[in-house]
Amino acid sequence: MDIGGTKIAGALVDSGGAMTATTRRPTPRGADGDTVFAAVAEVVAELAQSPLWGSAVRCGIGSAGPVDTALGTVSPVNIGAWRNFPVQARVEAELARHGLRIPTVLAGDGVAMTAAEHWLGAARGHANALCMVVSTGVGGGLVLNNQLHPGPTGNAGHIGHISVAFDGEPCACGGRGCVESLASGTAIAAWALAQGWVPAGDATAAGVAAAAAAGDPVALAAFDRAGRALAAAIAATATLVETDIAVIGGGVAASGDTLFGPVRAHLASYATLSFVKDLRVVPATLGTHAGLIGAAAAATMLLPSS
């Protein structure tokens, strides 16, 4: 299951990562919690019609956060009706209603993306990896010694709230100078506008990226600022736990070298010790499939077979 503010998707995923059945519903807007969950129930019901349904051995639930995997609850920023919503227990009950009594696990979307990229994507073959989603916010996850490392509540690797600017602006999380407040798509666009950038229609980070590709100096500076923040956080993470690769996905990463160029250029100033100087930064490869593949990967990595 992949649950976000725009869509609720489900798939049956085989041991090689192929999705043998998929379905999705739009996430209900302006609805109460039970109405939102009704869309989840519809996804489960449709998947239950597959002849492969009975062969499922575990279930992974990837969700927008915040999440608390110890309690099985979610409070997604972009699903206002869910606050401390017991999504794991509700999904387990729905699976049982359709004849499946299997172990389940809840993962935040950054952790799910990390599991996906380690299993089948850009971090495959790396025992220690940081994977990041740079979009409206900045999230992430860690693989350490070939094991997914979600932490006690499922939030380990949340790189967006590492502080990289001691005297930086307050962040929505309550901290100051967080990566997310400098490098998210929202932050990139806001900074560019504040510096006098005049959008040619699109005032989002995608518009800033297009302007940067065309040589606009303010847009270039906005991405350089974001790239420096990401580089500092990536280097700090690698220094702390000795990751050797950082994988970046999400909408902002779609800008390609406009983002990756500054990240790699600034990384040389932060990753200076001998054990991190060969740290690589690469784009994610699984795109829109990362959520579903990642939920399955998280279930495989964190749960035994039934």
Side-chain angles (χ1 to χ4, degrees):
M1 307 292 299
D2 177 23
I3 298 171
T6 303
K7 58 98 173 57
I8 294 166
L12 299 178
V13 182
D14 70 18
S15 59
M19 293 188 290
T20 56
T22 61
T23 187
R24 60 188 290 169
R25 295 288 188 279
T27 303
R29 299 279 187 180
D32 62 21
D34 286 339
T35 301
V36 175
F37 187 79
V40 177
E42 289 176 11
V43 167
V44 172
E46 187 167 331
L47 290 177
Q49 301 305 307
S50 167
L52 296 172
W53 176 253
S55 63
V57 295
R58 60 180 78 86
C59 174
I61 307 159
S63 175
V67 303
D68 187 331
T69 58
L71 298 176
T73 61
V74 298
S75 303
V77 172
N78 48 12
I79 304 179
W82 280 7
R83 289 296 172 265
N84 299 313
F85 187 82
V87 69
Q88 186 171 352
R90 293 285 297 268
V91 168
E92 286 175 350
E94 204 61 32
L95 295 174
R97 198 164 74 83
H98 292 277
L100 275 187
R101 298 185 182 277
I102 55 177
T104 64
V105 69
L106 172 64
D109 49 9
V111 171
M113 176 265 192
T114 299
E117 291 292 334
H118 183 258
W119 185 22
L120 296 174
R124 188 173 187 175
H126 291 265
N128 301 287
L130 165 69
C131 298
M132 306 172 62
V133 179
V134 182
S135 186
T136 305
V138 177
L142 290 166
V143 170
L144 302 176
N145 297 323
N146 280 315
Q147 298 295 314
L148 192 63
H149 183 73
T153 65
N155 293 288
H158 200 337
I159 193 169
H161 295 290
I162 288 179
S163 178
V164 292
F166 183 71
D167 294 319
E169 294 296 317
C171 177
C173 76
R176 182 177 291 275
C178 293
V179 175
E180 184 170 295
S181 69
L182 296 161
S184 69
T186 305
I188 290 169
W191 187 86
L193 288 165
Q195 298 302 308
W197 171 64
V198 179
D202 185 353
T204 69
V208 181
D216 184 287
V218 174
L220 286 166
F223 270 88
D224 185 75
R225 178 176 181 265
R228 184 178 181 185
L230 291 169
I234 290 166
T237 302
T239 302
L240 187 66
V241 295
E242 290 199 57
T243 51
D244 60 8
I245 191 168
V247 177
I248 305 179
V252 177
S255 61
D257 285 344
T258 300
L259 177 69
F260 285 92
V263 172
R264 290 167 178 152
H266 285 294
L267 192 64
S269 300
Y270 294 103
T272 57
L273 293 169
S274 60
F275 61 93
V276 293
K277 65 182 179 60
D278 293 326
L279 176 62
R280 296 173 56 216
V281 178
V282 301
T285 60
L286 296 178
T288 57
H289 296 305
L292 286 170
I293 296 295
T300 299
M301 297 175 82
L302 298 173
L303 289 173
S305 299
S306 61

